[in-house]
Amino acid sequence: MSILKRLDETIIIEDDRKSEKELVEHCILEGISLNDANLENLNLSGLDFDNVFINGASFKNANLNDISSKNASFIDCDFSGASFHFCNFLRTEFENCIFENVNLRDCIGDMKNIFSVVLDTYVMSFTKTIMNLGCDSKSIEDWRKTTADDIEDDEQKWLWDYYKELIFEIIDKRLGVKHD
């Protein structure tokens, strides 16, 4: 039996014929509120979150790869540890959401919370604390310490050597970091 619960453990919906992913999809299609839902550790990849409004839900460690979220609003949601491969958030609103240790591989951000820049054949995506370049994800501070010699892939090594200063100029400007 699959059950979706709120963070306070109250049941949103249960069905012995559907997976948790199918229950989330059913809730979206039927307009059943996912506010304060506990969606932690779920594989929700490929789901259509278009036109949803979700407040206070926890998506910790969820697989949100390749989701659609046009005109969606996520308010006060926790996405810590979530994976967002191949997502486009240009028409998605995130307000007061947590994005600690997320994986943003080839993700196009909303440009308010998740930022993206294309450098040659690589998509660089970053939040206030995490940066993805190609397949590699690290804290921004760890990336600042990274040298071209630390990178194994020859193409990425060249890219890092060529663009590193520009990358941090972009990050600092977008995040409002001031240097003396």
Side-chain angles (χ1 to χ4, degrees):
M1 173 172 292
S2 294
I3 300 173
L4 287 184
K5 294 183 179 181
R6 299 204 189 284
L7 293 169
D8 67 5
E9 295 294 318
T10 58
I11 294 175
I12 298 171
I13 189 170
E14 60 184 299
D15 188 319
D16 58 354
R17 296 166 291 157
K18 294 184 178 183
S19 68
E20 291 168 320
K21 180 177 181 176
E22 290 170 321
L23 289 178
V24 171
E25 184 174 43
H26 174 78
C27 288
I28 292 169
L29 291 172
E30 298 299 319
I32 298 169
S33 173
L34 290 171
N35 289 345
D36 300 311
N38 183 346
L39 304 173
E40 297 175 4
N41 302 304
L42 295 184
N43 179 356
L44 303 175
S45 63
L47 281 187
D48 182 345
F49 285 89
D50 292 349
N51 303 306
V52 301
F53 178 90
I54 299 176
N55 188 358
S58 179
F59 291 90
K60 287 181 181 177
N61 302 309
N63 177 342
L64 297 163
N65 296 340
D66 204 29
I67 64 167
S68 179
S69 61
K70 294 179 194 109
N71 302 313
S73 292
F74 297 95
I75 313 299
D76 296 320
C77 293
D78 188 346
F79 293 101
S80 298
S83 178
F84 292 112
H85 297 192
F86 311 110
C87 293
N88 181 339
F89 294 126
L90 284 176
R91 293 177 53 202
T92 304
E93 176 188 15
F94 296 104
E95 186 177 316
N96 298 320
C97 293
I98 299 169
F99 293 102
E100 293 297 321
N101 298 315
V102 293
N103 192 322
L104 304 168
R105 181 176 178 196
D106 294 324
C107 176
I108 305 299
D110 66 334
M111 305 313 282
K112 293 178 187 154
N113 300 280
I114 300 170
F115 304 91
S116 11
V117 177
V118 176
L119 301 165
D120 287 1
T121 58
Y122 286 85
V123 175
M124 176 192 71
S125 302
F126 62 96
T127 67
K128 293 176 183 171
T129 58
I130 298 292
M131 183 179 110
N132 265 75
L133 183 61
C135 299
D136 295 327
S137 181
K138 303 182 204 185
S139 73
I140 291 173
E141 290 312 308
D142 284 345
W143 276 111
R144 284 188 197 279
K145 298 173 193 169
T146 301
T147 66
D149 293 336
D150 298 326
I151 298 172
E152 292 180 24
D153 178 84
D154 287 337
E155 186 178 345
Q156 191 175 7
K157 181 184 292 236
W158 174 88
L159 181 107
W160 189 247
D161 194 42
Y162 191 80
Y163 285 112
K164 182 178 180 178
E165 286 183 38
L166 178 62
I167 287 170
F168 288 110
E169 188 176 318
I170 291 167
I171 289 171
D172 292 346
K173 188 170 217 117
R174 290 302 295 187
L175 298 180
V177 174
K178 302 216 186 305
H179 296 280
D180 297 331

